[in-house]
Amino acid sequence: MTASHISRRNFLSTGTAAIAGMALSSPILAATAPPIRVGVIGTGSRGAGLITLLNKIPAFQVTACCDILPDNLRKAISITGSKAKAHTDHRTLLNDRTIDAVVIATPLFLHAPMAIDALSAGKHVYLEKSLSYNTAEALAVEKKVAESNRVLQVGYQYRYYGLYRRIKEIISQNWLGKITHLESQYNRNSDWRNPVSDPKLERIVNWRMYSEYCGGPLSELCAHQIDMIQFLLDANPTRAVAMGGINYWKDGRDTYDHIRAIYEYPGGIKSSVSSVLSNAYNSYNIKIFGEKATVEIQRENAYIYAENTQNRLGTVDGVTGATVSVKTQGDAEEIKWLQPGERLLEPTTYALEDFRRCIQEGKTPDSNVLTAKNSSLAIHMGNMAAKSGGTEYWPA
């Protein structure tokens, strides 16, 4: 094994009212039940952020952390107030019978294998998105969850966010009329690269750059939007086409620095999903186009634009009697979704509260193995279509 190439195996061995009601569904149980002892596997930026959020929820107690990078591990232990035990191998953490649940925030290709290991060890699992590196892994995790009596929740936190629940309600009330198209994007103006202190660590630290370890922007950025579209439409795509490539960051990476996928959903609905790493205009954005109105979703806000279908006859480009649009689109109206007095929280807080509730009450998470499997299959369809240049179909 050369310093510049680390195999997957060696990487593994070395390394709204409804929302408010859900979050507070059982305050007495949350306060009086024994603490849920948590081990965090993968303590990079996302794992460290999750530890910080877990520290704010009294029902959780982070008692162990695991990472193959010493700096990450030291930082994580510090965040716990030096109260957690340090591990460099996830299997030793899973062997600790005092641990009730694990949070897995490792590179994508480790998600499914580590989730299966954790379920086999009798742990509840909060797994960062997306569920799997490929379709076979998604099906394997689904099978393992069915065989266990443990909770597996996947970190699609927007399924718990009141903003999206309000949009889903608006769709169900037919505010938009017949929906025909959706557009979503997650853009950045960044090489998406982290500094490396030792060249031997390049592929460990910058795993997002290499297709051996992840699915590029579609799995790492657009995954949330793909999941949300399936949540809002209550449907899975039937087919996908896509194009991607590396046309800006020519720095040795082999995952795309841009991709655009088009999914077709039942009824002929088309959903365009794109990510560009060389321009951050409008960064995160979802648009839903209906015959009556359009909804635009941003990070913490959403707006609705009513369609104006009244036209008049006039002269257009010298043609008399042509149709002149009076106004093609109404003014933006902000969609209110926070309840009176409700504080705006980080979406992952709502998700972790549901993880607590599901463990203590034996419930199934809203972001569960089935919904996450379906989102992963859509991601894989898009990446496979971009690679093949053909059309990929929803697996039978």
Side-chain angles (χ1 to χ4, degrees), residues 44-313:
S45 58
R46 181 58 177 166
L50 286 164
I51 294 171
T52 300
L53 293 176
L54 287 165
N55 286 344
K56 298 177 181 179
I57 302 174
F60 292 115
Q61 180 181 353
V62 179
T63 60
C65 298
C66 177
D67 203 285
I68 61 173
L69 296 176
D71 288 346
N72 286 352
L73 191 53
R74 278 193 293 269
K75 179 180 178 181
I77 297 299
S78 174
I79 295 172
T80 70
S82 299
K83 296 177 181 178
K85 183 176 180 181
H87 296 265
T88 56
D89 188 324
H90 78 285
R91 290 163 293 193
T92 64
L93 183 151
L94 294 177
N95 287 336
D96 185 343
R97 295 185 179 181
T98 68
I99 294 174
D100 304 305
V102 295
V103 170
I104 299 173
T106 55
L108 174 61
F109 82 97
L110 297 174
H111 284 189
M114 286 186 170
I116 290 172
D117 286 350
L119 292 167
S120 297
K123 313 300 185 188
H124 301 289
V125 179
Y126 184 98
L127 178 66
E128 265 303 308
K129 60 82 186 166
S130 54
L131 177 67
S132 68
Y133 176 81
N134 56 39
T135 297
E137 288 183 349
L139 299 176
V141 177
E142 183 182 35
K143 181 174 184 291
K144 188 65 181 180
V145 171
E147 295 170 350
S148 75
N149 62 347
R150 293 294 182 265
V151 172
L152 182 135
Q153 181 173 330
V154 179
Y156 286 112
Q157 62 266 24
Y158 294 126
R159 283 184 178 260
Y160 301 92
Y161 201 32
L163 172 62
Y164 289 92
R165 294 191 173 201
R166 178 59 179 146
I167 300 302
K168 189 175 179 71
E169 183 180 46
I170 285 171
I171 292 172
S172 71
Q173 293 173 349
N174 203 35
W175 288 25
L176 308 188
K178 180 179 174 60
I179 294 171
T180 55
H181 295 85
L182 301 94
E183 291 182 0
S184 60
Q185 67 177 51
Y186 199 155
N187 293 344
R188 292 182 175 179
N189 195 336
S190 165
D191 62 3
W192 212 14
R193 183 177 291 280
N194 295 308
V196 178
S197 59
D198 184 336
K200 295 179 181 179
L201 299 177
E202 164 61 20
R203 297 176 76 87
I204 293 177
V205 173
N206 287 309
W207 55 273
R208 290 183 180 88
M209 307 291 102
Y210 305 102
S211 57
E212 186 177 8
Y213 306 129
C214 87
L218 209 60
S219 72
E220 300 306 312
L221 294 177
C222 298
H224 283 298
Q225 292 162 314
I226 290 171
D227 183 68
M228 276 299 92
I229 289 164
Q230 294 181 202
F231 168 74
L232 294 171
L233 296 181
D234 280 323
N236 300 316
T238 56
R239 59 176 177 161
V241 295
M243 294 181 68
I246 305 169
N247 65 4
Y248 190 82
W249 297 110
K250 299 180 183 295
D251 55 2
R253 72 184 65 204
D254 61 20
T255 54
Y256 299 146
D257 65 10
H258 70 280
I259 188 167
R260 182 178 297 275
I262 300 176
Y263 295 91
E264 183 175 69
Y265 286 83
I269 298 173
K270 305 299 190 296
S271 173
S272 171
V273 180
S274 65
S275 182
V276 173
L277 298 184
S278 57
N279 183 293
Y281 179 71
N282 272 350
S283 186
Y284 180 97
N285 194 277
I286 300 175
K287 295 184 181 72
I288 308 168
F289 300 95
E291 61 180 336
K292 296 180 180 178
T294 299
V295 162
E296 180 182 16
I297 306 171
Q298 301 174 0
R299 280 287 190 187
E300 298 174 355
N301 304 94
Y303 302 88
I304 189 165
Y305 304 82
E307 286 288 302
N308 190 324
T309 57
Q310 295 180 355
N311 299 308
R312 61 180 174 82
L313 298 181

